[in-house]
Structure formats: structure tokens, C-alpha cells
């Protein structure tokens, strides 16, 4: 019996992990990646350099037996460090429970580990600089363009996974006729982002605290910084494109210099290449992509950003993508007959509501990060949440539900978290001394919000 | 001085009308239409045969001096005629004010008049079977494919209008890189539609009432019929694709026959070709398309379905498209310097909120047509609205605001109309005899809802 041929478009984070898990089952897998092999070329351009890996992502990596290898390249961050304009710093832990951290990790480093793991399997092959450009669903044949060939080539397939990111060619095929009645939306924020850098000291040591995610919240805009293993930090400035406080108004070196000196005075001394970085690095847009269906019968399925690109403010884009792969893997394992139409239909029904939830949470969290973290009521709320999490093992704040409770689906984390937030913000309004509040009473009210 | 070259993609209803109004100003206009000339070929396939023309559309046609020519091919409809399963009929006028009608009109007939009018101008040319396939915005040059040529041709342009419908190639160009940060969504209803026919009698006379829009509301689905000038009616069955009461369950002639005999018994005797029509005509999907921006600087603008395809349940798709053209024409007239970037920016800001409003109204109205029209409370509400419209010259129901009050933007009609509906449905609940209500009191409450 000829084996089925599983094609994955995209050797990024989700595609590579899926490749590993399918190859592990003995399936014949070929991955087509339009870019060159990042292990041999420097192709960071335009994509964020480091990401926050948290529990949901780690769960899926464990399935591939990779959590130890990955441990070595992560930098734990136990909370946010808020930088005020006046240079004051305030630590806001992510959780009141011990040991809960999110992890700064290099996109390239993680992707390289996944690719190298994938290529250990004889039944898996990655074709780099090879882009799927057309699919004939009736003939079960796709066309791809390979940079080392003179012309497009055709190859047959049984199943094609679209793990090819926010600009997915597979999803575009669905939209342009591959699927009837394909619902699709792409929606841009009016804000863009630009990456900047805090380099290491001469001796390779770090210039600022490494075990936190730094935030300079400034209302309409913000800068953040995540540590890298090499002693540097990747900074990202998020701000509107247009308007008074927008990229539009940062066109000359003087403007940029004045702006940073005025708004981020404590960071400027650590950013010696600020002006060069600012004008060399692109200003990139931020979009949310939603679609449905995610699958074409038993022939094809989308995952990760291809199915649900989100804005980066909850640090869950990669984690959601890995969770997709984990759920697919579970569903495959639960169906020894491999009825792909059923597997895919269950997959999209399980995942769609959760992808929608994290997409909305991510948009909401931008406001929290750039503005609320500096608000006194919000700070009191965080104090109470920390105290509750510390005292009651079964209480989790919205942030913890989303980030640390991988058994709670995003959609449930969102709805319960929002009910908790509404209650707590009411409690915290006009409170001067939060330690005067009765935690037991609050806890008893909060557990009633569970359904 | 070389004249500017205005290109319109699409010689449909909106594109042809825009062509007439631009040509009238002396502008050099070329229209590229991918289909053959409908005046010489029969190409109705897949698109609805008749439409409801109402005040907003008529206003724009007046600008082209075409209202008289159009008058001759319209069939006025003064209200809905509701057909119950038991054969009872109930007339629901559209307005309590005299002379207010919507008009059934043949899409092909109207489009032919517009094209013929457009071609009267020496400075306007329509290229049929010619499809714009690519645009080079830097060179201001587009590529088109013409059915009578061996290869694609290039031509330069100053401004390109996208009037090429729900599947617009111009909008697709925006989406695929022509415009940065282009917001886009396409969303399908779970219901589709199929066109059927009530032919004329042998002598050319009508089999059923001609001055109404017939509705057979059946809860989850409905059939409607609009009169044609030739004595026939075009019927449309709207229903879910899937589920118990869905197209899925109408696969055999027996199933269709039983379904119609049971659900539309009074219509069946008038539909001699029902079974042939049912299996020959396609089941077509219903989608809402939204996007933004609608324009690319001063180089290009979308209008009509290309910018905002809506579902057909408010009978406003064509009217909204004509209103776009009317607004564009006004803005052009108001700016003798022809600063297109400013004209287009004003145009999209004026129209986007209104297109969004009619898109949502149209989705809401499907429920009203297939279900509420048969509901007693709704019927009492309509009686009161008719009485109010008849007594108070300045009162208009939501339907009237949308359909007959062209000076009220859709967005205002929607918000005021919804406030009125909420109030009136409350008043009408549990009322047995609506004539016992005090109209003056109701009127006085209603005018307070205006802002």
C-alpha cells in the first residue's frame, strides 16, 4: 500500500512542529518553505526577533520531546517592569503563584531547533526556497516554484497543511475559489511597530534587568524590551502611524532624538544605535486575520497565523499556533482509522472559538499594556489578584488563565477573565488602601462567577 | 493640455451611470467590461433578474436625465403581499403616505438604457469582453485582457474606478498589495437563493397581483416574487443550505414537489416549470463584503458592490451603488480644481458609515421578511406606523427612512429607525386592539427619539 503524502506549506514554527509530530507517527511528510534555510542565511528581516513562549506552547513542544532543548535557549520573565517618564520603575509580577514565568525566546533559535529535529526523520524532507503557487484539488496535484529550478514543478499530494503564516498562499487559494463560501477578514490596527535595540555591555553582560518584560507605557503608544541570550534586548516601539503622537511625526533625526529624550529618558543611555536603528528598521503594520472554514474536507487544513493571525499584545500568537498543532495531534491519535474529514472538522470546531477569543484578548491587551498598567486602579487590582492567586490555589487572574492554565481553553479564559475583571475593577475603584479589603469576601464573590 | 484619462472597471449599473455623469462633464472615459454586451447576448446567468429601484437610486438617475426613460420599464409595488400556508393573503403597505412605492425593474433593461446613454457621448467608450488584470500604480498603466486579442494589452490611465462588483478585480488589487493596510471582510450567510418563475398567461397577462412584492414567509426560509414587464414574475427562494429545512434536503423531484405543495400550495399552480427551474437554476450564495479604504490616494476609488456588497433583503444594493455615484458627482461639482485626493477622501468618509449601515439593515431585514411579517405584534406595529405616517407628515417608519427619505443618510435612518422600532415593539406587545392606542401620545414619544 502506497503511503499517503502529507504536504506542509511553511517551515515556520507551527509547520516545523507539525512536521515533527507527523513524521514521528511514520507519515511521509514534505515541507515547502518559500524562504531560504534560516540556519544558513540571515533572514530576520521584518519579523519579530524574539517571542514569549508560555505554557500552551510548551505543552505542544513537549509532545515533540523538545522541551529540554528549548529550555536552554529561553530567558524567563516573571513580570512586567513598568518604566515611568520620571525614571521610576515598578515591578508587576505576572502571577501570585510561585514559579510562573513567560519566556523570551529567539524566533530563529526556536525555529532552527524545530527544523533540525524534523530533518532527523528519514520520512520528512524540507524543501527551502520552494513556494506552492497553485493547487489542483481535483487532480490532487500542486504546483510549486523552486528557486533552483528553471520552471514550476508539479507534485501530487494527499493532504496539504497551510502553515504558511499571515499571508498564507493556501488560505488565498481557499479564498479565490478553493472553498465555496469562505468567510475571511483582515483588519489592521492604526498602530504600527518598529524594532530597536539595547545591546549588551562590552563584556556581554546585560545593561538592564533580564528577568522581566520591560514596558514604557505612554498612553497612546509604548515601548517594550525583551531579553536575548546574547546580552542584548530587543525593543519594540508600538505607536499610531498618523496623528500628533505618531510615526508620521518622527521623520528627522532631531525629531526622533527629542522624542526619545523626552518620553523614554531612562532608556536612551542604553540605546547607542537608536537613530540608526530607527531609520534602518521598517515600520511594520499589525493585523488580525480571521477566516472560516479552516479546512477543505479531508484534503487540507490551515493552522497558526494562516488561520488566525493576531496582534502580538498577549504574547500568544506562537503559543496559539503550537496549541493548534497539539490539538491536531491529539485528534489524529484518537482516530486510528484516520478519517481526515472528521479529524479536520473536529479540529476547526474546537479551535475556531479559541482563536477568535485570543484575537480579541490580544487587541484589548494593547490598551492594558500601553495605558492601564500605569493606572492606579489597575495597579490595585493587580495587587489584589496577586494576593488572591497566592492565597487560593484555584484562583487565577485573566492573565493567568490565558497564559498559565493550558487546560482552560482561550474562550473560557476570556469570558471568565472578563467577568472577574469587571467585578475587580468595581471593587478597586476609589480604594486607597487595598490591604483593608477582605480577600475571603472577594474570593467568595469571584468563585460565583464561574459557570 | 492633454485631458486626463478616466478608466472605469465594470459597465454594470454603477459603472455605466458613473460613465454617463463623467462623460457629461466632458471627461474622457473608457469603461472595461469583462462580459459581452448584454444588449446583444443573453447573460443573465447567476445574477438576479429584477431589482427594486427606490428613491435613492432614482435621485442619482435624475442627474443623468434618465428618470423618464427608466419610468417606462418599472413596475410599482406599493407594499408586501403576505401569503400564508393556508392560502390567506394579507396586504402590508410600505408606507402610510400616498404615492410611495418601490419599483420592480429588470436589471438587464436598466443596464442597457445606461449603456446606450453612455455610448451617446463621443468622449466615452465601452470595451466589452475586456478585463483589467493588472495595474502598475507607479507607471500609471494597467494591463487588460481582451477576448478578441491574442495577448494582454497595456494602457495608461490617470484615474481608475472600480465598479466591477462583489468580486472586484480592482479591490483584489488593493488587497494584494495595491494598498497598504487594507481592511477587508467577506462573510457568507448560511442561506443561499434560487430563482424560479411564474410565467405570464397565454395572452401575456399576469397570473397574480402585480402592484406588490409577494412574500411567502416560512420562518427559516421564504419565497418572494417580483413582477416583470412581460407578464411574468421572478420568484426567489431563500433558504439555508444545510439542515432539515435546507437546500440539502431538496435533492429529488419528489422532494421538491412535496416541499412546494406543502409549503407554498397557493403558488404551485402558477409555477408550471417549477421542477425544471429548480434543477436547472443554480443555488447561489449570499455575502456581505466590507473594506476600507475605498480609495487609493487620488488614483483610484471603489463604488457599489466592489466597495460594499450587501445581501438583497432591503432592496437597497443597487440604490446604494447609485447613491455612491450621486455623492461622487456632487463632490466633483463642488471642487472645480478637481483635487481627486480630496474628492475621494471626502467620498469614502461620507459613504463608508452609510454602506456599513445598509449592510447591517439588509441582514436584519431577512429575519423580518421571512418571519416577523407573519408575527401579530409586528403586524400591529406596521398598522400603527401606517397610521402615524398618514397623520404626521414628518413621521417616517424605519422602512420609510431607508427607502423613501433619500435626504436621510442610511446611518441616520438605521439608528433613528432602530430606536423607533424598539419603542414601538414595546408599545405593541400584548395589545389586542391597536385602534385603542392614542396616536398623538405615541407620536410625541417618537419625536423625542430624534437627536
Amino acid at each position: 500500500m502506497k503511503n499517503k503524502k502529507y504536504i506542509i506549506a511553511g517551515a515556520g514554527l507551527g509547520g516545523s512542529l507539525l512536521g515533527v509530530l507527523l513524521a514521528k507517527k511514520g507519515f511521509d511528510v514534505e515541507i515547502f518553505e518559500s524562504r531560504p534555510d534560516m540556519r544558513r542565511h540571515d533572514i530576520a528581516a521584518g519579523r519579530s526577533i524574539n517571542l514569549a513562549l508560555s505554557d500552551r506552547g510548551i505543552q505542544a513542544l513537549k509532545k515533540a520531546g523538545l522541551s529540554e532543548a528549548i529550555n536552554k535557549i529561553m530567558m524567563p520573565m516573571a513580570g512586567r517592569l513598568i518604566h515611568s517618564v520620571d525614571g521610576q520603575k515598578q515591578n508587576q509580577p505576572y502571577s501570585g503563584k510561585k514559579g510562573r514565568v513567560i519566556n523570551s525566546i529567539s524566533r530563529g533559535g526556536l525555529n532552527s531547533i524545530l527544523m533540525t529535529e524534523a530533518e532527523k526523520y528519514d520520512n520528512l524532507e524540507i524543501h527551502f526556497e520552494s513556494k506552492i503557487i497553485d493547487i489542483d484539488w481535483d487532480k490532487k496535484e500542486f504546483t510549486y516554484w523552486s528557486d533552483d529550478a528553471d520552471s514550476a514543478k508539479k507534485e501530487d499530494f494527499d493532504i496539504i497543511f497551510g502553515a504558511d503564516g499571515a499571508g498564507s498562499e493556501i488560505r488565498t487559494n481557499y479564498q479565490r475559489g478553493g472553498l465555496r463560501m469562505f468567510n475571511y477578514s483582515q483588519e489592521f490596527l492604526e498602530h504600527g511597530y518598529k524594532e530597536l535595540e539595547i545591546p549588551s555591555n562590552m563584556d556581554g553582560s546585560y545593561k538592564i534587568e533580564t528577568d522581566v518584560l520591560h514596558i514604557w507605557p505612554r498612553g497612546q503608544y509604548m515601548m517594550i524590551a525583551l531579553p536575548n541570550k546574547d546580552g542584548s534586548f530587543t525593543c519594540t516601539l508600538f505607536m499610531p502611524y498618523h496623528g500628533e503622537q505618531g510615526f508620521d511625526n518622527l521623520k528627522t533625526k532631531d525629531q526622533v532624538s527629542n522624542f526619545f529624550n523626552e518620553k523614554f529618558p531612562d532608556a536612551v543611555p542604553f540605546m547607542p544605535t537608536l537613530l540608526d536603528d530607527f531609520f534602518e528598521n521598517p515600520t511594520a503594520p499589525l493585523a488580525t486575520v480571521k477566516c472560516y472554514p479552516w479546512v477543505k474536507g479531508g484534503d487540507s487544513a490551515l493552522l497558526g497565523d494562516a488561520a488566525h493571525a493576531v496582534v502580538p499584545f498577549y504574547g500568544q500568537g506562537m503559543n496559539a499556533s503550537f496549541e493548534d498543532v497539539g490539538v491536531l495531534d491529539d485528534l489524529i491519535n484518537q482516530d486510528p482509522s484516520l478519517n481526515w474529514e472528521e479529524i479536520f472538522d473536529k479540529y476547526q470546531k474546537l479551535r475556531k472559538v479559541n482563536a477568535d477569543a485570543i484575537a480579541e484578548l490580544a487587541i484589548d491587551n494593547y490598551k492594558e499594556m500601553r495605558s492601564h498598567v500605569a493606572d492606579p486602579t489597575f495597579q490595585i487590582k493587580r495587587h489584589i489578584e496577586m494576593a488572591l492567586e497566592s492565597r487560593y490555589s484555584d484562583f487565577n487572574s485573566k492573565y493567568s488563565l490565558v497564559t498559565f492554565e493550558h487546560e482552560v481553553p482561550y474562550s473560557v479564559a476570556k469570558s471568565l477573565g472578563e467577568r472577574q475583571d469587571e467585578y475587580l475593577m468595581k471593587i478597586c475603584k476609589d480604594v486607597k488602601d487595598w490591604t483593608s479589603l477582605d480577600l475571603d469576601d472577594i474570593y467568595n464573590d469571584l468563585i460565583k462567577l464561574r459557570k
Side-chain angles (χ1 to χ4, degrees), chain A:
Chain A
M1 194 186 89
K2 180 184 154 293
N3 280 341
K4 271 198 195 282
K5 205 162 138 191
Y6 297 86
I7 306 297
I8 301 173
L13 298 168
S16 297
L17 178 61
L18 177 65
V20 171
L21 293 178
L22 295 181
K24 219 173 156 182
K25 298 180 204 302
F27 295 179
D28 288 336
V29 181
E30 285 184 66
I31 307 183
F32 288 77
E33 167 57 52
S34 62
R35 282 165 298 180
D37 187 344
M38 59 165 61
R39 292 164 296 181
R40 278 176 285 172
H41 303 262
D42 181 17
I43 51 161
R47 319 195 65 213
S48 67
I49 291 164
N50 52 19
L51 299 163
L53 179 65
S54 53
D55 279 30
R56 293 174 198 268
I58 291 168
Q59 289 306 313
L61 290 168
K62 276 187 185 158
K63 291 181 153 242
L66 287 172
S67 55
E68 281 195 37
I70 301 250
N71 258 329
K72 292 183 192 148
I73 63 163
M74 336 195 280
M75 303 274 300
M77 300 180 290
R80 298 163 172 164
L81 189 68
I82 309 300
H83 296 249
S84 309
V85 182
D86 62 9
Q88 297 224 23
K89 292 188 278 190
Q90 191 206 25
N91 209 318
Q92 294 184 357
Y94 282 125
S95 174
K97 300 189 200 300
K98 288 239 164 79
R100 285 187 157 181
V101 296
I102 62 174
N103 304 282
S104 178
I105 193 166
S106 142
R107 174 195 289 273
L110 175 55
N111 209 150
S112 297
I113 289 174
L114 286 166
M115 285 177 179
T116 300
E117 179 69 17
E119 286 180 336
K120 286 183 186 159
Y121 293 89
D122 290 340
N123 50 328
L124 183 148
E125 192 178 354
I126 308 181
H127 306 274
F128 289 98
E129 299 176 73
S130 298
K131 187 184 176 74
I132 295 176
I133 53 173
D134 194 27
I135 303 170
D136 186 327
W137 298 103
D138 294 326
K139 288 194 192 158
K140 291 271 204 146
E141 187 179 84
F142 65 95
T143 308
Y144 67 99
W145 185 268
S146 174
D147 280 8
D148 63 1
D150 288 338
S151 60
K153 290 185 228 170
K154 286 181 194 294
E155 196 170 307
D156 57 353
F157 70 92
D158 290 290
I159 287 174
I160 290 191
F161 292 94
D164 48 347
S168 171
E169 285 294 324
I170 309 300
R171 188 191 65 230
T172 301
N173 175 290
Y174 288 8
Q175 195 189 335
R176 290 179 71 75
L179 268 187
R180 260 174 74 93
M181 298 177 60
F182 181 65
N183 294 310
Y184 174 75
S185 74
Q186 58 185 43
E187 195 169 350
F188 288 83
L189 289 192
E190 290 176 6
H191 297 233
Y193 73 94
K194 189 184 283 287
E195 292 195 337
L196 303 165
E197 201 194 5
I198 294 177
S200 69
N201 290 317
M202 294 291 280
D203 62 358
S205 62
Y206 291 89
K207 286 187 192 291
I208 56 177
E209 298 83 343
T210 64
D211 57 348
V212 291
L213 190 151
H214 296 265
I215 309 185
W216 290 259
R218 296 294 181 264
Q220 278 307 299
Y221 57 94
M222 69 173 179
M223 185 165 74
I224 65 171
L226 278 75
N228 297 312
K229 272 278 172 187
D230 66 0
S232 69
F233 290 81
T234 303
C235 306
T236 313
L237 173 66
F238 295 94
M239 73 189 305
Y241 278 91
H242 310 299
E244 208 184 327
Q245 297 181 322
F247 282 109
D248 271 2
N249 277 328
L250 298 176
K251 289 202 174 135
T252 67
K253 293 202 168 183
D254 273 356
Q255 284 171 334
V256 173
S257 194
N258 291 339
F259 171 76
F260 274 81
N261 283 325
E262 191 182 322
K263 305 298 186 183
F264 309 117
D266 65 336
V268 171
F270 304 125
M271 303 175 79
T273 55
L274 170 62
L275 292 179
D276 289 342
D277 293 346
F278 195 94
F279 290 100
E280 270 167 33
N281 293 348
T283 308
L286 296 159
T288 302
V289 172
K290 294 181 181 173
C291 67
Y292 204 78
W294 286 6
V295 312
K296 182 176 164 67
D299 294 339
S300 179
L302 305 177
L303 60 102
D305 283 2
H308 50 82
V310 301
V311 295
F313 305 109
Y314 230 109
Q316 287 293 318
M318 165 179 63
N319 293 289
S321 169
F322 284 161
E323 199 172 64
D324 287 347
V325 176
V327 167
L328 258 176
D329 188 65
D330 287 343
L331 291 168
I332 296 168
N333 293 341
Q334 286 157 22
D335 181 359
S337 72
L338 285 185
N339 181 333
W340 284 102
E341 193 162 343
E342 268 182 38
I343 290 169
F344 285 166
D345 195 49
K346 282 183 189 162
Y347 159 72
Q348 67 175 352
K349 284 185 177 134
L350 278 170
R351 294 302 293 159
K352 170 64 175 169
V353 285
N354 293 316
D356 284 350
I358 193 60
E360 285 149 39
L361 283 165
I363 287 173
D364 296 343
N365 215 43
Y366 185 27
K367 215 173 265 173
E368 177 165 326
M369 289 178 79
R370 71 178 198 248
S371 162
H372 299 172
V373 290
D375 167 71
T377 308
F378 176 87
Q379 290 174 358
I380 291 169
K381 170 173 166 280
R382 285 302 286 168
H383 279 301
I384 294 172
E385 286 177 335
M386 294 309 100
L388 288 165
E389 287 201 346
S390 163
R391 185 180 301 180
Y392 306 97
S393 64
D394 68 342
F395 175 78
N396 286 287
S397 70
K398 183 173 79 178
Y399 186 88
S400 286
L401 288 167
V402 172
T403 307
F404 303 118
E405 293 288 322
H406 65 264
E407 288 186 2
V408 178
Y410 284 130
S411 55
V412 177
K414 177 173 187 286
S415 58
L416 175 57
E418 286 173 352
R419 289 195 299 276
Q420 292 181 170
D421 277 359
E422 194 187 354
Y423 168 83
L424 287 169
M425 286 304 280
K426 219 178 287 171
I427 294 279
C428 297
K429 226 185 143 198
D430 308 321
V431 164
K432 295 279 171 270
D433 176 19
W434 70 270
T435 56
S436 67
L437 295 169
D438 185 323
L439 277 189
D440 286 336
D441 284 353
I442 295 176
Y443 172 75
N444 286 325
D445 282 344
L446 282 168
I447 54 176
K448 286 182 206 140
L449 298 177
R450 297 181 200 165
K451 280 182 184 161

